Amino acid sequence: MTGGDIQFDRQGRLRHLLTLEGLSRQTILEILDLAESFISVGEREIKKVPLLRGKTILNLFFESSTRTRTTFEIAGKRLSADVINLNVNASAASKGETLLDTVRNLEAMHTDLFVVRHAESGVAYLVASHVPAHVHVINAGDGSHAHPTQALLDAFTIRRHKRAFNNLKVAIVGDMLHSRVARSQIQVLTTLGVRDLRVVAPKTLLPLKVDRLGVRPFTDLHAGIEGVDVIIALRLQRERMHGALIPSAQEYFDLFGLTPERLALAKPDAIVMHPGPINRGLEIDSEVADGSQSVILSQVTNGIAVRMAVMALILGPSVEARSG
Amino acid sequence: MKLLIHNGRVVDPLHGVDAVRDLHIVDGLVVAPARDFSADEIIDASGLIVCPGLVDLRARMRDPSPGHKATFESEGAAALAGGITTLCCPPDTEPVIDTPAIAERIRTRSARTLPAVYPLGALTRGLGGQQLADLATLDRAGCVGFSNGLQPLRDAQVQRRAMEYAASFGLTVFLHPEDAALRGNGVVHEGEISARLGLPGIPEAAETVAVARDLALVEYTGARVHLCQLTSLRALEMVSEARGRGLPVTADTAAHYLHLSERDIGFFDTHCHVRPPLRSLEDRDGLRSALRDGILSAVCSDHQPHEPDAKLTAFSHSEPGVSGLETLLALMMVLVEERQLSLTAAIATVTCGPAGLIGIDAGHLGSGALADVCLLDPGCRWILTAEGMISRGRNNPFIGREFGARVVRTLIAGETVFRLDAAGASYLSSANTR
């Protein structure tokens, strides 16, 4: 049986990043601190450090993505690695090659790190449990399961604005049922000590037994965001209307759309986040998305530093060598 | 030919026998013990349990089938290694068992050195859920019951007519209670694991809604119905209540549901992808007590061998099912060791229990019975390995697990057809090796 511990090697070091489940507070803080040190790299004239020179990173995307793929690519390049992008949507899969065959072929090209995105939950685990010991895997989103680097960059962004996690009130609003981002956010925020974590959505968009994940479910937006420090809006896929999960975009926005009036219910200094891409007028009003409390674009910038940190931690020289 | 199985603990639940004694076999049939029995061959069964050969109510042999998953010979050998001498095969073969020709073809696969096979006939033509199969004709061709396999009957009127028609001729209808719409694209139990792993969930209601409909139609049509593979505590309560009112309903489950829960999926272990899904620990415990209370009258392997690639993919894309012939009895013995179930009750659910459901003379050791016998060593500790499996499908979630009892010898009509050698490796009688 594949276990959560395949993420760590025998010395307890992070070998793959597949989920945030099982990561200690210490490891998460180590990643965030390292990301902090990489922020300045992006602000320099020469945006490069030689940490991963000679390493090959393969962005293996079985599902399309712009932001995530691009920020992984930039992160790898800023660390001086060779980065190759591969969209497998149409090529190998349509020729009947199995997923693992695709991976084995690419592995034979001496890839050091696979950054994997796939529409099905669990694929990053499948890949990680079939690569040789020197090959690493980062999950760039698998189905509705996990998107660990996104959640880490969200935690990083929150920390830059809020510092201490344990007194924060955080509300995640939207389609939690299908959201890999929300699942990873819940793991990172509960590990970092957030005690008041809420998810807000109609029951059709909340998993059964969501309370087991350490969150309080709300079906009323007003009650759910009252007095919170952080609001995270989730993307609502338009196809959810077809599965009888919600009646219409209009009714969803009426009940759960984040408008300036509703934002006023949160703390005055509350920040608004969104993993993107945004559906303006569906889950969030433009005035909020572009407003002074929105940190949506800093999330994207921070994403590069956080992904550099994860790559450096997994693939780079040991911590001692870095600090020496 | 006189065979003496000497000094074993004979467990024959149908006749209430549990005693250390000799078993006398003459020309392939069990005979009453006689004082001066001069045997041609003696098998020393000291320290062993001697029970009837197992009757597996649901095993897919993948034969006939165009695929490469297994053959009747490969799976027959695996069955014998698991002590199974009789098995019942669902109609979802390719082609489907909806004509007498296919039914007879399957019936005649039972050679003398392979398990006896009884087919279940298709309830509707091609399992399409629209037109009834020729039930009476199939019955005459040897089908012991009728089922639509895992294809749910979406149309309640077709189900009602099928049950009425079957009731006219006293035929038993096997149903897999699962509401297709509620199952949707689900692959795991809707509960804490679907919430955690983000896998599409199958609600408990997919089972209970179907059971409610099935029971209402039993009451309405008077058909004798067997509910296959129940997994939820609530469904068991409904069946128990219906039986209390005298409805002609029986039920079974598969061995893995008695031992695993949704939690065993861990991080996407596709070997735990089964249909219906593994449910909560409470449901698993409910199944165990239903077994003690007799609400479940049989436990089957629900054997579904797969090629490795079927499981080496994304959880949602992997094919459900367990290659379970070789662990059926071992898993029942775990329940005995854990004092969940008496030895007699455990043996009954895999011998006379299922035999009674399909009305065949098997699964017991009474005088005159065919001497299909399983010799089980209750002190043999062994670990299930993929390499050690005989089935062509190595998709078994218990690989790596240690068991405390093992089949050491299997006889069909008094002939040894499987024997475990001293090194623990198994060998097969020449007729079974190809």
Side-chain angles (χ1 to χ4, degrees):
Chain A
M1 184 187 288
T2 45
D5 52 2
I6 68 165
Q7 294 202 99
F8 300 94
D9 66 15
R10 282 194 191 146
Q11 285 76 43
R13 285 176 310 207
L14 200 61
R15 199 189 137 200
H16 308 294
L17 182 65
L18 311 173
T19 171
L20 298 176
E21 193 182 336
L23 252 65
S24 67
R25 188 165 178 274
Q26 193 192 339
T27 306
I28 290 168
L29 290 176
E30 190 186 352
I31 294 169
L32 301 189
D33 291 343
L34 192 54
E36 202 69 59
S37 76
F38 284 136
I39 282 283
S40 62
V41 174
E43 293 161 356
R44 290 184 209 158
E45 183 94 30
I46 296 169
K47 301 181 177 59
K48 251 190 198 317
V49 286
L51 269 179
L52 299 186
R53 195 158 53 198
K55 301 283 186 187
T56 303
I57 297 174
L58 209 143
N59 283 333
L60 185 54
F61 278 55
F62 294 90
E63 186 188 70
S64 59
S65 147
T66 311
R67 186 183 340 247
T68 304
R69 207 214 63 216
T70 313
T71 51
F72 266 110
E73 182 178 352
I74 294 172
K77 286 181 170 166
R78 287 199 181 154
L79 291 168
S80 309
D82 297 312
V83 183
I84 294 126
N85 294 315
L86 202 66
N87 295 319
V88 200
N89 295 19
S91 64
S94 63
K95 291 175 195 152
E97 186 175 63
T98 71
L99 196 147
L100 285 178
D101 280 336
T102 304
V103 171
R104 285 189 192 109
N105 273 284
L106 297 168
E107 193 182 283
M109 301 171 195
H110 300 293
T111 302
D112 297 294
L113 169 68
F114 285 106
V115 176
V116 181
R117 166 169 288 197
H118 199 284
E120 294 295 335
S121 301
V123 166
Y125 262 95
L126 178 73
V127 173
S129 51
H130 288 89
V131 293
H134 62 277
V135 177
H136 306 267
V137 177
I138 293 177
N139 183 2
D142 62 327
S144 306
H145 171 234
H147 194 348
T149 57
Q150 174 70 43
L152 286 168
L153 75 87
D154 294 333
F156 181 85
T157 307
I158 293 173
R159 192 170 75 157
R160 287 205 125 200
H161 288 88
K162 298 291 175 192
R163 299 289 161 197
F165 284 96
N166 47 359
N167 291 320
L168 286 186
K169 293 183 187 350
V170 180
I172 301 172
V173 181
D175 183 5
M176 153 88 209
L177 181 65
H178 302 91
S179 178
R180 54 192 172 211
V181 174
R183 283 184 176 79
S184 287
Q185 284 167 339
I186 290 169
Q187 280 157 358
V188 75
L189 294 175
T190 50
T191 307
L192 289 173
V194 174
R195 282 174 301 205
D196 189 344
L197 185 54
R198 306 138 176 223
V199 289
V200 187
K203 286 185 163 195
T204 46
L205 298 179
L206 290 175
L208 200 73
K209 310 229 170 162
V210 66
D211 53 307
R212 299 277 179 97
L213 303 177
V215 296
R216 276 199 293 159
F218 286 80
T219 50
D220 177 66
L221 181 66
H222 292 221
I225 63 173
E226 193 163 12
V228 299
D229 300 280
V230 178
I231 299 173
I232 303 172
L234 298 174
R235 178 178 167 77
L236 182 78
Q237 307 275 354
R238 295 206 171 256
E239 64 260 28
R240 303 296 173 228
M241 260 72 85
H242 302 304
L245 291 166
I246 53 167
S248 67
Q250 187 57 51
E251 178 153 318
Y252 184 79
F253 186 74
D254 287 348
L255 295 173
F256 296 97
L258 204 53
T259 60
E261 300 72 45
R262 284 163 177 165
L263 181 55
L265 294 166
K267 285 209 183 124
D269 64 345
I271 55 169
V272 174
M273 304 171 65
H274 191 298
I278 304 176
N279 284 309
R280 291 172 186 268
L282 180 50
E283 67 258 359
I284 193 164
D285 193 286
S286 281
E287 217 175 303
V288 174
D290 305 330
S292 61
Q293 287 170 270
S294 164
V295 297
I296 296 173
L297 289 177
S298 1
Q299 286 176 269
V300 180
T301 312
N302 295 340
I304 298 171
V306 167
R307 288 175 176 130
M308 285 170 77
V310 172
M311 286 174 169
L313 192 72
I314 287 179
L315 203 55
S318 65
V319 178
E320 305 85 72
R322 264 203 312 271
S323 58
Chain B
M1 173 69 189
K2 290 181 169 181
L3 171 66
L4 171 65
I5 300 178
H6 177 59
N7 202 34
R9 177 176 174 187
V10 177
V11 179
D12 180 14
L14 188 68
H15 301 104
V17 174
D18 179 0
V20 175
R21 51 171 248 200
D22 293 344
L23 189 67
H24 294 181
I25 294 164
V26 176
D27 296 333
L29 301 178
V30 176
V31 295
R35 197 175 291 252
D36 48 351
F37 187 77
S38 54
D40 302 305
E41 188 193 345
I42 298 174
I43 296 173
D44 181 9
S46 304
L48 302 180
I49 291 169
V50 177
C51 68
L54 272 55
V55 180
D56 189 354
L57 199 56
R58 189 159 53 258
R60 289 176 174 78
M61 313 303 272
R62 309 292 192 201
D63 194 352
S65 177
H68 43 281
K69 290 182 186 295
T71 63
F72 190 77
E73 286 72 20
S74 70
E75 303 319 288
L80 298 176
I84 297 162
T85 52
T86 303
L87 45 84
C88 190
C89 118
D92 44 12
T93 44
E94 274 186 71
V96 164
I97 309 176
D98 61 358
T99 61
I102 301 292
E104 276 153 17
R105 178 171 153 195
I106 287 172
R107 276 295 289 132
T108 53
R109 296 308 297 267
S110 352
R112 212 174 151 70
T113 52
L114 282 173
V117 194
Y118 292 89
L120 286 184
L123 197 56
T124 60
R125 201 153 295 188
L127 304 178
Q130 291 175 341
Q131 199 179 348
L132 296 186
D134 294 338
L135 304 189
T137 310
L138 287 165
D139 177 52
R140 282 197 300 273
C143 291
V144 291
F146 295 88
S147 150
N148 222 53
L150 289 169
Q151 300 297 324
L153 291 161
R154 290 171 187 268
D155 186 330
Q157 178 73 323
V158 171
Q159 183 177 343
R160 173 219 168 160
R161 295 301 185 206
M163 287 167 65
E164 276 178 338
Y165 191 80
S168 320
F169 306 103
L171 309 176
T172 303
V173 177
F174 285 60
L175 296 171
H176 283 264
E178 180 188 78
D179 185 278
L182 283 171
R183 180 174 81 94
N185 64 348
V187 290
V188 295
H189 174 56
E190 184 171 85
E192 78 180 73
I193 296 305
S194 65
R196 186 173 73 90
L197 296 182
L199 287 169
I202 303 174
E204 178 200 76
E207 182 164 293
T208 52
V209 163
V211 168
R213 175 170 122 172
D214 294 346
L215 292 176
L217 289 174
V218 168
E219 191 156 17
Y220 198 69
T221 62
R224 176 156 150 50
V225 161
H226 178 75
L227 298 175
C228 302
Q229 207 123 324
L230 293 184
T231 61
S232 73
L233 179 58
R234 185 70 196 106
L236 294 166
E237 289 168 357
M238 294 162 77
V239 171
S240 173
E241 188 270 343
R243 283 167 64 100
R245 285 190 292 124
L247 295 188
V249 180
T250 50
D252 72 59
T253 193
H256 38 274
Y257 297 98
L258 295 164
H259 294 273
L260 302 175
S261 76
E262 56 177 340
R263 291 190 186 178
D264 290 289
I265 291 164
F267 286 89
F268 307 98
D269 184 355
T270 51
H271 285 131
C272 290
H273 180 195
V274 292
R275 182 176 162 196
L278 298 172
R279 297 197 186 271
S280 69
L281 274 176
E282 293 73 47
D283 290 311
R284 187 205 68 175
D285 293 344
L287 287 169
R288 289 175 166 197
S289 64
L291 208 52
R292 284 190 291 273
D293 300 344
I295 297 163
L296 294 172
S297 35
V299 177
C300 61
S301 71
D302 195 44
H303 182 67
Q304 297 182 52
H306 286 298
E307 74 282 8
D309 278 352
K311 293 288 189 182
L312 281 176
T313 183
F315 195 96
S316 293
H317 294 165
S318 66
E319 292 184 54
V322 166
S323 174
L325 291 170
E326 292 160 77
T327 43
L328 175 60
L329 185 53
L331 287 169
M332 295 312 295
M333 291 304 290
V334 171
L335 295 179
V336 176
E337 284 161 33
E338 291 177 355
R339 300 184 179 279
Q340 296 282 336
L341 206 59
S342 71
L343 178 64
T344 309
I347 302 283
T349 56
V350 289
T351 55
C352 56
L357 289 171
I358 51 174
I360 58 168
D361 182 24
H364 69 94
L365 297 174
S367 284
L370 204 60
D372 291 353
V373 186
C374 168
L375 271 63
L376 178 72
D377 181 350
C380 175
R381 301 211 75 83
W382 62 290
I383 293 171
L384 179 72
T385 61
E387 304 70 41
M389 286 182 72
I390 292 166
S391 165
R392 198 166 286 179
R394 273 90 189 266
N395 48 302
N396 187 308
F398 300 100
I399 284 171
R401 177 157 176 166
E402 190 178 57
F403 291 98
R406 191 166 195 184
V407 175
V408 292
R409 193 164 180 150
T410 305
L411 292 84
I412 287 182
E415 297 279 337
T416 295
V417 287
F418 166 81
R419 197 170 171 191
L420 194 73
D421 72 17
S426 45
Y427 77 82
L428 307 167
S429 71
S430 56
N432 297 325
T433 42
R434 297 204 310 158

